[in-house]
Amino acid sequence: VNSEYFPDLVYAGLESHGSDLCGFVLKPQGKGPHPTAILLHGFPGYDDPIDLAHALRRCGMNVLRFHYRGCWGVKGTYSFKHCMEDVKSAIDYLTDEEVVKKFNIDIDNLFLVGHSMGGFLTLTHACDKRIKASVAISPYDFGLVGKIGHYDEKEREEAFEMFKTAIPPLNDTNAEALMQECIENGDKWNLPDKAKFLADERLLITVGTGDVVSKKSLHHDILASEIKKYNKGNLTEKFAATDHSYSNKRIWLAQTVAEFLDEETAENVKRNAQKEAELAVREAQNEA
């Protein structure tokens, strides 16, 4: 292989609202164009899915990794709203013409892949028309927690205790502020209320049946049930006997995500070829 097309790790220069997000792109071997995944870590990011990034690169994908504003040394104030804005900034970045050329991005195959909070952010942005398919790994619905936090003291307290453990790598925030942000935005962020729109998107959601953080009954079953009311064909669900971090299922997780994205890439190529063929026929008919 020409050394110009060796695998590589490249500083991205990704900024969001004035903050450098410390982003980097894992580039695969070969010239491309390459399908590209934005890999979103959870809250606060103790469990970094870098093994998944390498696995997807081995499958021929670019993978963009970054930290959200206000965490792990990135300047700015940490908030869930800022995390949402940073994901949009990442999508904007990868669809910029110069960046597409720099990383040989297959713009027709741009994916979101996120774990826990990253899964929540993935589903929050899955309806962006630039995203072709999305993978939510044990998504934790901060909107749902905020919505039921008004009346379910047990769930609110569990979330609050979890928030307290996440504060050390975060800037200018505390568990009280983060909990209040969820309470105030619960109705707006709650994923089951977006089910009608999510049903139109190609989705893979993985679930750990032993997960005590993103509990299946709360963070998966309600959303999946709502999505299936509108469309049963676009949602793929995969279950594993594991914990929130997939501690004993990392290889299974990489295979499951890679296979889904590979199938989606192949389908997108097929659909685009069909569209081009139909366009060619129409052009020929017009010329005749």
Side-chain angles (χ1 to χ4, degrees), residues 214-252:
S214 296
K215 292 177 286 189
K216 177 178 178 293
S217 59
L218 182 64
H219 293 277
H220 175 73
D221 292 349
I222 298 171
L223 174 61
S225 176
E226 288 298 310
I227 289 175
K228 291 172 186 176
K229 289 179 182 178
Y230 300 99
N231 187 329
K232 296 183 179 180
N234 281 339
L235 173 62
T236 300
E237 301 166 274
K238 296 291 184 179
F239 302 91
T242 190
D243 64 350
H244 188 60
S245 298
Y246 293 73
S247 300
N248 62 330
K249 296 289 184 180
R250 299 302 302 182
I251 294 175
W252 173 89

Side-chain angles (χ1 to χ4, degrees), residues 18-256:
S19 292
D20 186 326
L21 300 185
C22 298
F24 59 93
V25 174
L26 286 82
K27 295 173 58 179
Q29 182 167 294
K31 182 179 181 180
H34 302 291
T36 300
I38 302 171
L39 183 57
L40 305 172
H41 71 68
F43 169 72
Y46 292 134
D47 188 6
D48 189 341
I50 192 64
D51 59 329
L52 187 54
H54 284 285
L56 294 178
R57 175 168 66 173
R58 287 193 292 272
C59 295
M61 300 187 70
N62 288 314
V63 182
L64 173 64
R65 293 280 293 112
F66 65 91
H67 291 300
Y68 316 103
R69 265 179 291 163
C71 71
W72 300 103
V74 176
K75 294 179 180 179
T77 298
Y78 188 91
S79 72
F80 299 128
K81 180 177 181 290
H82 286 173
C83 293
M84 294 178 190
E85 293 172 349
D86 294 344
V87 175
K88 182 181 182 301
S89 295
I91 299 171
D92 292 343
Y93 171 80
L94 286 181
T95 53
D96 177 81
E97 184 176 346
E98 290 301 315
V99 175
V100 169
K101 291 178 182 178
K102 178 179 179 180
F103 295 112
N104 297 313
I105 293 171
D106 177 0
I107 202 65
D108 291 322
N109 285 291
L110 184 61
F111 306 110
L112 287 173
V113 181
H115 170 246
S116 193
M117 181 186 75
F120 169 71
L121 296 172
T122 290
L123 294 173
T124 300
H125 290 81
C127 296
D128 187 309
K129 295 307 177 186
R130 297 169 292 181
I131 300 299
K132 302 306 176 183
S134 298
V135 178
I137 302 165
S138 295
Y140 184 97
D141 189 345
F142 288 87
L144 180 60
V145 167
K147 188 171 184 175
I148 68 176
H150 287 284
Y151 58 85
D152 191 325
E153 183 176 349
K154 179 176 180 295
E155 290 295 342
R156 185 176 68 248
E157 284 301 313
E158 284 187 9
F160 182 69
E161 289 302 313
M162 185 267 286
F163 288 3
K164 288 197 294 188
T165 69
I167 298 305
L170 307 182
N171 294 344
D172 301 327
T173 192
N174 53 52
E176 290 80 5
L178 294 172
M179 192 72 245
Q180 187 60 32
E181 186 182 13
C182 291
I183 296 291
E184 291 176 356
N185 292 281
D187 288 333
K188 182 166 61 175
W189 293 350
N190 178 42
L191 291 174
D193 290 340
K194 306 177 190 297
K196 181 177 180 179
F197 305 101
L198 289 170
D200 291 332
E201 308 302 326
R202 299 290 295 169
L203 302 175
L204 165 65
I205 300 179
T206 70
V207 180
T209 56
D211 188 345
V212 297
V213 179
S214 296
K215 292 177 286 189
K216 177 178 178 293
S217 59
L218 182 64
H219 293 277
H220 175 73
D221 292 349
I222 298 171
L223 174 61
S225 176
E226 288 298 310
I227 289 175
K228 291 172 186 176
K229 289 179 182 178
Y230 300 99
N231 187 329
K232 296 183 179 180
N234 281 339
L235 173 62
T236 300
E237 301 166 274
K238 296 291 184 179
F239 302 91
T242 190
D243 64 350
H244 188 60
S245 298
Y246 293 73
S247 300
N248 62 330
K249 296 289 184 180
R250 299 302 302 182
I251 294 175
W252 173 89
L253 180 63
Q255 290 175 333
T256 299

